[in-house]
Amino acid sequence: MRVVKGIVGIVAAIIVLAVGWLFVAPPELIRVGSGYSAKIVCSNTFLTERDPQEVLETDVQAPGHPLLRIMRVSVDRTTGIVRAGLFGMFGKGTALYREGLGCAAVPDGDVEAARGRPAPLPPEADEPGEGLWPEGSEVMPLEDGELYAVLNDEALTGPGMRAVVVVKDGRIIGERYGEGFDETTRLLGWSMTKTVTSALIGRLVRDGRLSLDEAGLFDNWTDGRSEITLADLLGMASDLTWNEGYGDVSDVTRMLYLEPDMAAFAASMPLDTETPGGIGEVFEYSSGTSVILSRLWQNAFEDETEALAYPRAALFDPLGMTSAVLETDEHGTFVGSSYLYATARDWARIGQFLLQRGVWNGRSLLPVGYVDWMVEPHPASGGDYGRGHVWRRASNAWLPGDNPELPADAFFLSGHDGQSVSVVPSENLVVVRMGLTPTALGYKPAFLVEALIETLGRPQ
C-alpha cells in the first residue's frame, strides 16, 4: 500500500510540475499555436463579423496542426482582446483589435502598450460609390449558362471555396460564393498581400520617396547586407537566410506569432553563407522580406500616423477598396507579407489595377512601366517569380499532376490555403478565387482559369 501511495504521489508531483511548466514556460510550438489561434479568431470576429467558435473550429482546428484542436479561445468584444491557449490555459496567445488596423498578435501580452500606439484617421469613404463595378458596387452578371456551369463545378472551384469573381473587359461578369459568405465578406489574402506591398512601394517610387536601387537600407546593416537593394528584396533575392516552413516553429511562424517587432526580427537575419551565389542571385521565398519592405516604406514618413494612413490614401481609396484592412504587428509595422483583408470584389480591383498596368480612371498611380517590371521574371527564380512580388507560375503548379497551359502573359497573386488572383492581360481577364483549401488537397485554381478562358472565348 505504501508503494502504491508513493507511486501516486510521484505521479501527482510530476503532473503538478508539468502543469506549472506549461503555465509558466510553455514550449514555443504551443505559443505559436496559441498566438495563431488568437490572431485568426480576432480578425474574423471583428473584421468579418463571424462567430468566434465557428472560426476556431472551421478555420483554425479543422485544417491545422493536431495541436490546434485542443486550443480554446475567449473573446472580449468590449476591449477587443482575444486570448487563446492549450485547453484555454497554456500558451498565453493574445490578439488585440484596433479600429482601422484590424487585429495584431501581442506576443509579449502588453495589450495596453499596443493599444496606445498611433492609429490612422478614419477613412473618408466607407461605402462603395454609385454605378457599375469597379467605379461602384453594382454588378450586372452575364446570363450565360455555360459560364455558370464552370462556376458551379466544384472540381474547378475547389474544396472549401468561399468566393469566385470573374472580371472580363473591366466588368464583373460572374461570381459565386460559398455558404455563409457573400460579396460583403472580408477575406484574408495571406501572401497575396505581398503584391499589394509592392504596389505601395511603387506609389512611393513614383512620388520620389523611394528608389528601387537604394541600398544601405538599415543603419545596423553594416556588413554585406548593406549592399541589398529594394529591388533585391522585391525579387526575393536578398540572400538573407530564412525558413518559410509551416507546421512547426520556423522563422515565419516565429515572426508572425512570437515576435512583437516582426520587422526587427526579419532584418536581424544574416546573409546565407552556405548556399552558392549571393545577393541578387539566389531566390529565397520569404515573408520576412515582405515585412522588412513594409518597415522600409513606412520609414519614408516622418509621421507614423501618416504612414499608417498611406495604404488607404494611396491605393485603397483611389481603387474604391472600401473594405480593405491591412493589419499591423504589435509595434505598428504593416504585416505586408500576410494580413490584408478585403472582399473578393476588392481583391478583383487589385487584379484589374495590375492588368491596367497601374492606371485607374485614367490616372497612372504607379511609375510608367512599373507593373511590367513587377511581372518580368527574376533570373534567380528560374522564371517562376517576378521582380516585384508577383508569381509567374500558376498557384500550386508545383504539385504533382497535370497543369494547364495558360497564356504566357498571365501572372498571379497567390496565398496560403487556396487564395489566388489570376491576371491574364491577353484575355482581358481577372479571376479571383478565395477559400480555405489546404495545399494537401491538391487543388489547382489554374484549371478554373483555363475553363473560363475556353468558355468566354467560344464563338458567340
Side-chain angles (χ1 to χ4, degrees):
M1 183 63 69
R2 290 181 180 177
V3 173
V4 172
K5 288 183 178 179
I7 293 174
V8 171
I10 290 171
V11 171
I14 291 173
I15 292 173
V16 170
L17 289 172
V19 169
W21 169 63
L22 286 172
F23 188 81
V24 175
E28 288 186 336
L29 184 59
I30 292 178
R31 291 181 57 213
V32 166
S34 300
Y36 171 75
S37 301
K39 168 66 182 63
I40 295 301
V41 170
C42 182
S43 294
N44 281 277
T45 297
F46 291 99
L47 294 181
T48 73
E49 299 181 355
R50 295 172 61 200
D51 176 73
Q53 187 61 31
E54 188 267 336
V55 173
L56 176 66
E57 295 173 359
T58 303
D59 292 37
V60 176
Q61 295 177 336
H65 191 285
L67 191 67
L68 298 174
R69 294 169 191 166
I70 49 178
M71 291 291 169
R72 302 293 181 264
V73 297
S74 63
V75 178
D76 188 328
R77 295 180 182 272
T78 302
T79 63
I81 297 173
V82 176
R83 302 188 190 278
L86 199 69
F87 302 112
M89 297 184 291
F90 311 118
K92 303 179 182 178
T94 304
L96 173 68
Y97 173 72
R98 295 170 296 173
E99 188 68 31
L101 293 175
C103 288
V106 187
D108 60 10
D110 194 348
V111 294
E112 294 311 315
R115 197 194 306 277
R117 291 192 172 274
L121 296 174
E124 294 183 5
D126 58 4
E127 295 292 339
E130 296 182 355
L132 283 175
W133 186 98
E135 295 84 5
S137 59
E138 186 178 350
V139 171
M140 297 181 65
L142 291 179
E143 295 183 4
D144 186 322
E146 291 189 43
L147 169 63
Y148 276 89
V150 172
L151 296 184
N152 291 327
D153 187 334
E154 294 183 0
L156 292 173
T157 59
M161 182 277 296
R162 291 181 171 179
V164 173
V165 175
V166 182
V167 181
K168 178 73 171 176
D169 299 328
R171 299 295 182 192
I172 292 177
I173 61 169
E175 54 188 347
R176 182 175 174 231
Y177 294 93
E179 184 178 356
F181 301 88
D182 59 28
E183 69 276 7
T184 68
T185 308
R186 290 188 177 106
L187 297 165
L188 175 58
W190 284 112
S191 285
M192 297 201 302
T193 308
K194 292 176 170 69
T195 308
V196 178
T197 294
S198 179
L200 289 169
I201 288 172
R203 287 285 279 144
L204 289 164
V205 169
R206 180 183 181 277
D207 294 342
R209 303 181 77 161
L210 290 176
S211 172
L212 292 177
D213 59 6
E214 182 178 348
L217 300 174
F218 291 104
D219 291 341
N220 63 348
W221 280 9
T222 56
D223 51 13
R225 296 176 297 177
S226 64
E227 299 179 14
I228 298 171
T229 66
L230 279 178
D232 293 325
L233 292 165
L234 284 164
M236 297 290 184
S238 68
D239 202 35
L240 293 172
T241 60
W242 190 259
N243 181 345
E244 187 74 11
Y246 291 84
D248 204 339
V249 181
S250 64
D251 293 333
V252 65
T253 56
R254 181 183 298 278
M255 178 186 76
L256 291 174
Y257 306 113
L258 299 183
E259 296 290 337
D261 188 341
M262 296 187 193
F265 171 74
S268 72
M269 293 293 161
L271 292 176
D272 184 352
T273 59
E274 297 182 2
T275 305
I279 297 170
E281 299 176 353
V282 179
F283 178 76
E284 182 69 57
Y285 186 79
S286 162
S287 290
T289 293
S290 305
V291 174
I292 289 172
L293 284 166
S294 291
R295 185 68 265 160
L296 288 169
W297 78 248
Q298 287 181 250
N299 286 348
F301 294 84
E302 294 183 2
D303 185 338
E304 189 173 354
T305 300
E306 183 183 0
L308 292 172
Y310 189 73
R312 181 158 296 283
L315 198 62
F316 302 156
D317 281 350
L319 269 57
M321 295 177 62
T322 57
S323 73
V325 178
L326 182 56
E327 297 178 313
T328 74
D329 69 1
E330 182 180 339
H331 279 219
T333 299
F334 284 112
V335 188
S337 62
S338 314
Y339 287 154
L340 175 60
Y341 279 81
T343 63
R345 289 183 179 181
D346 277 353
W347 279 110
R349 284 182 164 93
I350 285 289
Q352 186 65 27
F353 174 63
L354 296 174
L355 185 147
Q356 295 170 182
R357 292 316 199 245
V359 175
W360 199 260
N361 291 334
R363 178 188 173 199
S364 181
L365 301 182
L366 301 178
V368 174
Y370 184 79
V371 174
D372 291 328
W373 176 84
M374 284 175 65
V375 303
E376 180 183 333
H378 196 294
S381 73
D384 286 345
Y385 203 70
R387 292 188 178 274
H389 264 32
V390 65
W391 284 99
R392 293 307 309 262
R393 181 190 70 201
S395 301
N396 287 348
W398 53 270
L399 291 172
D402 296 332
N403 289 299
E405 290 193 14
L406 300 181
D409 64 346
F411 58 93
F412 311 91
L413 289 68
S414 181
H416 180 61
D417 278 350
Q419 322 315 318
S420 66
V421 176
S422 303
V423 182
V424 190
S426 57
E427 299 288 338
N428 209 7
L429 177 70
V430 174
V431 181
V432 176
R433 190 276 180 188
M434 313 291 287
L436 184 63
T437 312
T439 300
L441 296 178
Y443 172 66
K444 298 181 180 183
F447 284 105
L448 170 64
V449 179
E450 179 188 48
L452 287 167
I453 290 174
E454 291 176 355
T455 298
L456 297 173
R458 71 189 186 284
Q460 299 296 317

